[in-house]
Amino acid sequence: MQRFKKHELDILVATTILEVGIDIPDANVMVIEHAERFGLSQLHQLRGRIGRGAENAMCVLLGDPVTQEGKLRLELLFKLMMGLKSQSMI
């Protein structure tokens, strides 16, 4: 983690357990695998770990929701993120 913070590493692969301690303003890309397995709150918290600096950020959600609940969760998060994006463009 320290090497990532010092920019000695460009990529950090981690579980969600590391999410709480990450505060790296330059981090601007996050890929979340099996996003349908997380709750909306968790996904929102994870997404909030990137884009804290001057650069634009991208959060990629990968998943294959097989339940209606999983599909609705990802659709709702997508709509929320798009709504926030359009609000910041005003």
Side-chain angles (χ1 to χ4, degrees):
M1 184 69 183
Q2 292 302 318
R3 291 178 64 199
F4 183 69
K5 281 181 125 174
K6 293 177 186 177
H7 301 284
E8 294 173 10
L9 298 173
D10 292 328
I11 297 173
L12 177 66
V13 178
T15 65
T16 55
I17 199 75
L18 287 177
E19 177 267 323
V20 175
I22 295 177
D23 186 18
I24 302 171
D26 295 338
N28 56 9
V29 176
M30 179 179 287
V31 177
I32 302 173
E33 290 188 343
H34 303 289
E36 77 279 3
R37 296 181 183 181
F38 296 96
L40 285 175
S41 193
Q42 286 175 302
L43 290 169
H44 185 67
Q45 286 291 325
L46 288 167
R47 187 210 50 80
R49 297 287 123 198
I50 58 171
R52 294 177 171 210
E55 299 294 321
N56 288 330
M58 180 187 318
C59 181
V60 179
L61 303 177
L62 300 177
D64 186 19
V66 293
T67 66
Q68 187 63 21
E69 181 181 19
K71 290 176 187 176
L72 290 173
R73 183 181 302 131
L74 293 184
E75 287 174 10
L76 182 59
L77 185 66
F78 176 76
K79 288 177 184 177
L80 174 66
M81 291 172 73
M82 293 308 292
L84 292 174
K85 183 178 179 180
S86 64
Q87 288 292 327
S88 68
M89 293 178 175
I90 297 173

